[in-house]
Amino acid sequence: MLKYVLKRLLYMIPILLGVTLITFLLFNVVGGDPALQAAGRYATPEQVQLVKAELGLDRGLPAQYLFFVKQIVSFDFGRSWSTKQTISKMIMDGVGASLSLTIPAFFLTVFLSISIALLIAYFRGTFVDRAIFVICLAAISLSSLVYILYMQYYFSFQLGLFPISGWSPDWLERWEYLTLPIFIFVSISLGGSVIFYRTIFMDEIFQDYVRTARAKGLSHTAVLFKHILRNALIPIITIVVIEMPALILGSLLLESYFGIPGLGGMIFQALQSADFPVIKAMTFISAFLYMIFQLISDVLYVVVDPKVQLK
Amino acid sequence: MKRVFCSSNLKVGFAGAFFLSIALSLISCTSKKNNLANELRIASANLKGLDPVATGDETSSNVIALLYDTLFQYQYLKRPLTIEPNLADGMPQVSKDGLVHTIKIKKGIFFSDDASFSGGKGRELVSQDFVYSWKRLCDPRLASEGFWLFDGKVEGLDDWRKAVQKDGKNFDAPVPGFQTPDSSTIVIKLSRPFYQLHNILAMVYTAPVPKEAVDKYGKEMVNHAVGTGPFRLESWTRNSQISLVKNPHYHGVYPSVGDTGDAEKGRLAMAGQKIPFVDRLIFYEIVEDQPIWLKFLKGDTDITAIPKDNFDAAIKNKDVAPDLAAKGVKLDRAPGYDLTYTSFNMLDPLFKNNVNLRYAVAQAQDTKTTIEKFQNGRGIEAQSIIPPELESYDPNFKNARLEFKVEKAKEYLAIAGYPGGKGLPELEYMVTNSSTARQGAELFQTDLGRLGIKVKISAVSWPQFLERLRDRKFQVTGAAWVADYPDAENFLALLYSKNASPGPNNSNFSNPEFDKLFEQAARTPPGPARNALYQKMRDISAEQLPIIPSTHREGYSLYHGWVTNYKANSVIVDRFKYVQIDVPKRTQLKEKL
């Protein structure tokens, strides 16, 4: 397996170089002169020239590309054009805030949706199954903005149960502000997740090994937890691991509405102000995270199912 | 199996109830504590940074102005805006030719304590701090957006910049136009008369920053504040909130002179008292309208602008809605000192030589709809490039060519050689790709469609927008200009030919007579003679219409009944230093919310 992992890591290098090249071309060649944006609206040609020199944009394209690769390798993406802050620091500051919202919310969603899906699987074909399925379908048909707007209005403003928005750098104090966004995250995600896991469990329930286990006299509970759940772990792991990069990158809407200083809001602002260095850094980091977690997901398959062989 | 699920659910339920109760008790403690604090809380957009020369956006300026101080400021209550000394010890002495300005600074003013000073104690402000800070502003390596303030106006500055550009070590070389005969005197020598100098010395770009702090923090000055302002930086969680605490040694006092109605509104009750009145000022960085609005309604913030979608609920007949008024909420309206306009590219042959085509477009524009749909009625139809409240503004001036009259517009179009739009190529209206900008462009398209003129909307990214303006590659676009200082010159500069793109004259209008008047006005001290020159320039722009003035927006702010002394004004960026909070009244009124 070690050989496989090393091979995959080696494969990542040309792919990442490809990502860097495309990102570089998109922002430095196709998207107009970045120095004009960085220099400000009324900068004179001389000022633009100075900014070019400052940003290294007065060099040839190959030299600029190498500089970009060097920035990536050293995790020093320079400074934001908009805020003049160090991008690496902006990322490090934002990632903790994003994760403190998304990680508990995501795992709570996974736990609840697997529990509910198992319950439905147990009661398959009954009124409970159909009722939960319809509720889930209704839940996913609503826009996430509706959840946020109404829950913030009702729970925070009308009932006064939670702060309307806010944040605390203190880990203990911040839960006061995170409780409602986490609850909304779970509410938004639960419907889709339950349907997804229900489908997985239903697929497994009709497998031959389940019939065999039942024929041997195993109880429904034992079949469900010992056999079906274990065999359903591969798709569960896939979805959990593949979601990880998105969790790290934060939740744009929840962060914006609840004043959580995470990466989602940072990316949104960078897009709004055409802050190319930040966008470039986040594009690369997103691609890198997706590749790493894809690899982790593959490795975990082997851990949960010894029949899987990585070649 | 059912029992297993029940038991598991019960555990989850108990755990949930437990955490919820902890959360609720925390919330309850926090809100009670917050009600008793002498704090002013404001929702603001995201803050970029705290270095006066490195950030130019409105939000950052509003915060920087409270941490740093400037030589001059505007009288808080008096209108029209009048400049007065702040860090300066009196108004400057100006030579007869207007070229030499001698400014004395107040003694006994100290920078806030900071690790960059020896022993961590803030030292006394001296005249050299100003010169150092202005050199930073003009340092070509920093490429500050505020450099235009001194650009081409100070003796020897261009040569100094060239030397610094060649070698950064030349930064310490003197600029002949910035002199400090002693530690409390500054002499500014101008290369040409510039009567707005005192206005620009009231802008936060020119605030003194100690060299020690810059040496210690370098580019990280964006995250530090070492000023002499009414507040000191307590903490800043980026994209969340910034907290400022009162500077107990601040030199400022509350004004004794007000405008009509200020005394009746209780705004003069604290005359002569030391400011600031609040112990702490918190800016919540919130980007979405709903939380901004709900936080205000809940009393978690004290003063707010009104989000577009909440305007109808907040305002009835240009006053506070009765349900809000019953809760003690008050309204303050203030002119925006701004202009929104449609800009033609006067280098485009289609418009350059055809004033009647410009008239046709102007008379086809339905400005009333723009004000109603895009500004919630918060604005007035512009009659000229000069907004109200400025000294040279004439409320009786009307430009008939800006009236929305489709028939008249059709007549002009026919005179222009395109009856019913025939023969006129499709116009291109350039906008940024935001939804509001697109909607504005669609209204323009509809307005001109009535004349038979076809308009293609070209929505581009912000960098592309800038690039096309800079390269003068556009035909028509919409724009807005907000005053840097309350002087019509700041608006008339939009049409001065030497300010053509990449400068602020995006229409690239060039009129020798206008230029001559602009230069003559620059040499003329403030007063009736200069106002007359401004009005002549206004008349040329009204006749030529290289830009079509559209609206002057008006700012609406709401504040709670426990807030006193608040008077909105977009130019007075440090206005929160005058605001007072009645803490017992807050506790009492919050019960009603």
Side-chain angles (χ1 to χ4, degrees):
Chain A
M1 189 165 73
L2 186 67
K3 197 177 160 192
Y4 172 81
V5 173
L6 284 172
K7 211 161 124 186
R8 281 284 297 270
L9 285 171
L10 282 173
Y11 281 157
M12 278 171 64
I13 294 171
I15 298 171
L16 284 173
L17 281 173
V19 170
T20 58
L21 189 62
I22 292 168
T23 313
F24 173 79
L25 290 174
L26 271 177
F27 289 104
N28 288 52
V29 181
V30 183
D33 188 349
L36 293 181
Q37 163 76 2
R41 189 167 173 177
Y42 303 118
T44 60
E46 294 77 38
Q47 286 168 308
V48 173
Q49 205 49 47
L50 279 170
V51 170
K52 276 189 177 177
E54 172 84 14
L55 299 175
L57 298 170
D58 55 347
R59 290 174 280 184
L61 280 179
Q64 287 183 46
Y65 175 67
L66 283 178
F67 180 68
F68 178 47
V69 173
K70 192 181 148 201
Q71 283 186 317
I72 289 165
V73 173
S74 58
F75 197 69
D76 176 6
F77 296 99
R79 284 180 184 266
S80 151
W81 289 348
S82 167
T83 65
K84 312 282 192 291
Q85 302 282 338
T86 315
I87 296 170
S88 310
K89 188 175 181 300
M90 286 167 76
I91 294 170
M92 296 313 287
D93 286 349
V95 75
S98 284
L99 287 177
S100 52
L101 163 67
T102 54
I103 288 288
F106 178 70
F107 283 104
L108 195 57
T109 307
V110 171
F111 171 74
L112 288 175
S113 47
I114 289 177
S115 306
I116 297 169
L118 279 170
L119 181 77
I120 302 176
Y122 183 76
F123 289 110
R124 65 187 174 280
T126 65
F127 172 76
V128 175
D129 178 18
R130 282 194 292 273
I132 295 178
F133 191 78
V134 169
I135 292 169
C136 289
L137 270 182
I140 55 175
S141 348
L142 284 174
S143 149
S144 44
L145 202 56
V146 173
Y147 284 93
I148 295 170
L149 290 173
Y150 280 92
M151 287 187 170
Q152 186 177 52
Y153 179 80
Y154 190 71
F155 292 117
S156 295
F157 180 68
Q158 284 289 348
L159 299 181
L161 292 174
F162 307 100
I164 289 161
S165 76
W167 182 252
S168 170
D170 185 283
W171 278 88
L172 277 177
E173 282 180 16
R174 74 175 54 160
W175 296 107
E176 174 188 350
Y177 301 102
L178 281 171
T179 313
L180 183 60
I182 288 174
F183 180 62
I184 297 175
F185 186 111
V186 173
S187 308
I188 293 169
S189 319
L190 202 58
S193 291
V194 167
I195 291 175
F196 174 77
Y197 292 121
R198 177 190 178 276
T199 310
I200 292 170
F201 293 141
M202 288 302 191
D203 280 352
E204 293 296 328
I205 273 174
F206 296 108
Q207 296 290 327
D208 289 344
Y209 73 88
V210 175
R211 201 176 301 121
T212 310
R214 282 199 184 125
K216 282 182 174 177
L218 283 179
S219 70
H220 285 316
T221 316
V223 172
L224 208 54
F225 285 94
K226 283 188 183 164
H227 298 281
I228 295 176
L229 186 57
R230 182 176 290 175
N231 280 288
L233 273 179
I234 284 191
I236 292 173
I237 284 172
T238 307
I239 194 81
V240 169
V241 177
I242 292 297
E243 281 290 325
M244 284 295 151
L247 301 182
I248 294 168
L249 296 174
S251 166
L252 161 65
L253 280 177
L254 282 168
E255 287 176 12
S256 302
Y257 274 86
F258 287 93
I260 299 166
L263 291 182
M266 188 192 91
I267 296 168
F268 180 63
Q269 282 167 41
L271 289 169
Q272 273 193 324
S273 53
D275 195 346
F276 286 172
V278 176
I279 301 169
K280 261 184 352 188
M282 293 314 295
T283 308
F284 174 78
I285 289 171
S286 312
F288 179 71
L289 287 174
Y290 274 101
M291 291 170 71
I292 284 288
F293 279 100
Q294 185 71 59
L295 176 60
I296 292 171
S297 156
D298 288 350
V299 171
L300 283 176
Y301 290 161
V302 181
V303 177
V304 296
D305 187 353
K307 283 185 287 180
V308 176
Q309 284 195 329
L310 300 174
K311 287 182 179 173
Chain B
M1 183 165 132
K2 274 181 189 169
R3 225 173 49 208
V4 172
F5 275 113
C6 271
S7 153
S8 156
N9 277 348
L10 271 176
K11 279 179 192 167
V12 171
F14 281 130
F18 174 71
F19 285 116
L20 191 63
S21 61
I22 289 176
L24 291 178
S25 59
L26 277 171
I27 295 160
S28 144
C29 287
T30 314
S31 0
K32 275 177 195 157
K33 189 179 71 185
N34 287 348
N35 282 344
L36 297 172
N38 181 20
E39 293 175 348
L40 175 63
R41 302 152 197 156
I42 313 281
S44 88
N46 287 128
L47 184 63
K48 288 185 178 174
L50 301 173
D51 186 345
V53 306
T55 41
D57 62 297
E58 189 188 347
T59 308
S60 304
S61 298
N62 284 345
V63 177
I64 294 170
L66 296 161
L67 294 164
Y68 290 89
D69 235 348
T70 46
L71 273 173
F72 301 102
Q73 63 182 1
Y74 295 97
Q75 290 191 24
Y76 179 51
L77 300 173
K78 205 175 165 195
R79 302 290 181 273
L81 290 172
T82 310
I83 207 142
E84 66 176 4
N86 188 18
L87 287 174
D89 192 10
M91 290 307 285
Q93 286 183 335
V94 185
S95 64
K96 273 187 183 171
D97 58 5
L99 292 175
V100 183
H101 296 243
T102 306
I103 305 162
K104 286 276 180 192
I105 64 164
K106 283 176 183 155
K107 288 182 179 166
I109 289 173
F110 287 81
F111 285 108
S112 57
D113 295 346
D114 189 83
S116 56
F117 296 114
S118 143
K121 285 295 272 181
R123 64 159 171 82
E124 190 175 5
L125 173 78
V126 290
S127 56
Q128 289 81 2
D129 291 312
F130 289 93
V131 170
Y132 171 74
S133 305
W134 299 341
K135 283 163 82 175
R136 267 191 95 220
L137 179 64
C138 302
D139 186 338
R141 297 166 301 171
L142 295 182
S144 171
E145 283 187 31
F147 165 61
W148 65 271
L149 299 180
F150 289 123
D151 187 15
K153 294 155 191 155
V154 177
E155 205 179 285
L157 187 61
D158 286 348
D159 292 339
W160 177 84
R161 271 172 59 85
K162 278 178 198 156
V164 173
Q165 197 173 320
K166 204 179 275 178
D167 185 350
K169 286 177 190 158
N170 291 321
F171 182 91
D172 292 329
V175 176
F178 293 144
Q179 293 181 3
T180 51
D182 59 58
S183 63
S184 60
T185 309
I186 308 162
V187 178
I188 302 175
K189 290 185 176 174
L190 299 174
S191 52
R192 65 170 173 84
F194 178 52
Y195 288 100
Q196 292 78 22
L197 177 70
H198 309 155
N199 296 102
I200 67 160
L201 295 177
M203 292 174 71
V204 291
Y205 280 125
T206 63
V209 176
K211 184 176 183 298
E212 295 92 325
V214 178
D215 288 345
K216 181 173 172 65
Y217 301 117
K219 286 185 175 175
E220 279 302 300
M221 273 303 285
V222 286
N223 292 316
H224 294 267
V226 191
T228 59
F231 291 91
R232 291 170 176 182
L233 178 63
E234 184 180 44
S235 63
W236 181 23
T237 305
R238 171 162 286 282
N239 296 337
S240 172
Q241 69 174 59
I242 184 163
S243 176
L244 318 181
V245 286
K246 177 181 180 169
N247 172 3
H249 310 296
Y250 189 61
H251 61 92
V253 291
Y254 193 81
S256 309
V257 180
D259 205 17
T260 316
D262 283 333
E264 291 75 16
K265 287 179 181 168
R267 286 179 182 146
L268 286 170
M270 301 301 286
Q273 302 274 325
K274 263 181 83 72
I275 53 169
F277 298 117
V278 294
D279 297 332
R280 181 174 284 107
L281 206 166
I282 300 172
F283 288 94
Y284 297 113
E285 298 181 41
I286 311 176
V287 291
E288 294 295 339
D289 285 348
Q290 171 160 301
I292 291 173
W293 184 238
L294 294 183
K295 264 180 118 67
F296 177 74
L297 291 183
K298 201 81 180 165
D300 292 346
T301 54
D302 304 303
I303 303 168
T304 189
I306 308 171
K308 192 168 169 270
D309 292 340
N310 303 101
F311 189 80
D312 292 340
I315 302 294
K316 303 283 179 211
N317 301 321
K318 302 218 165 196
D319 207 346
V320 188
D323 58 323
L324 290 179
K327 292 171 184 170
V329 174
K330 293 172 185 172
L331 169 71
D332 193 76
R333 289 166 58 183
Y337 295 90
D338 79 343
L339 172 76
T340 66
Y341 60 95
T342 302
S343 180
F344 298 107
N345 182 0
M346 294 293 283
L347 297 178
D348 188 311
L350 194 65
F351 296 111
K352 187 181 178 183
N353 305 316
N354 201 334
V355 72
N356 288 304
L357 180 60
R358 303 200 292 272
Y359 290 168
V361 174
Q363 296 226 259
Q365 288 206 27
D366 183 0
T367 308
K368 273 201 175 73
T369 302
T370 303
I371 294 172
E372 286 310 313
K373 302 278 183 201
F374 291 90
Q375 297 167 9
N376 294 111
R378 286 175 279 188
I380 57 166
E381 290 178 62
Q383 295 299 324
S384 81
I385 192 169
I386 302 174
E389 298 283 323
L390 300 186
E391 223 179 328
S392 49
Y393 175 77
D394 177 3
N396 298 317
F397 178 81
K398 301 276 180 242
N399 186 352
R401 294 194 185 91
L402 297 179
E403 279 182 58
F404 174 49
K405 282 188 176 170
V406 177
E407 289 312 312
K408 192 79 189 156
K410 284 179 178 169
E411 279 176 32
Y412 277 125
L413 191 60
I415 301 169
Y418 307 107
K422 281 176 196 157
L424 184 69
E426 188 179 49
L427 301 184
E428 191 208 26
Y429 189 90
M430 180 177 73
V431 282
T432 57
N433 47 18
S434 76
S435 56
T436 314
R438 276 169 181 269
Q439 285 163 4
E442 281 163 17
L443 183 63
F444 182 81
Q445 200 176 35
T446 309
D447 286 345
L448 266 62
R450 293 190 192 103
L451 310 184
I453 299 177
K454 284 183 185 163
V455 177
K456 185 179 89 177
I457 297 170
S458 179
V460 296
S461 68
W462 180 240
Q464 286 170 321
F465 187 84
L466 291 182
E467 199 164 341
R468 288 185 60 184
L469 283 182
R470 181 181 301 271
D471 295 344
R472 306 172 183 192
K473 287 179 182 164
F474 75 99
Q475 212 167 24
V476 193
T477 190
W481 186 261
V482 182
D484 295 297
Y485 42 81
D487 190 317
E489 178 263 0
N490 196 229
F491 289 85
L492 294 162
L494 296 175
L495 298 177
Y496 181 49
S497 70
K498 289 183 183 167
N499 286 341
S501 294
N505 176 4
N506 292 321
S507 66
N508 303 302
F509 177 62
S510 176
N511 180 299
E513 196 189 343
F514 186 97
D515 287 354
K516 204 174 138 192
L517 289 165
F518 189 86
E519 284 156 14
Q520 194 183 338
R523 293 191 298 271
T524 311
R530 195 178 70 172
N531 288 345
L533 293 170
Y534 284 167
Q535 291 183 349
K536 278 184 187 169
M537 283 185 266
R538 175 202 64 193
D539 294 343
I540 292 173
S541 69
E543 180 74 24
Q544 292 294 314
L545 283 187
I547 63 170
I548 305 172
S550 178
T551 69
H552 301 301
R553 292 172 292 190
E554 194 180 10
Y556 278 53
S557 317
L558 292 179
Y559 58 99
H560 283 290
W562 56 77
V563 175
T564 50
N565 302 340
Y566 182 65
K567 189 168 182 176
N569 191 291
S570 59
V571 176
I572 302 180
V573 286
D574 60 352
R575 56 193 173 276
F576 296 123
K577 71 182 180 187
Y578 301 103
V579 173
Q580 197 177 16
I581 296 289
D582 184 337
V583 178
K585 199 172 179 184
R586 168 153 66 194
T587 314
Q588 182 200 331
L589 280 175
K590 269 194 90 166
E591 298 287 316
K592 287 188 187 177
L593 298 174

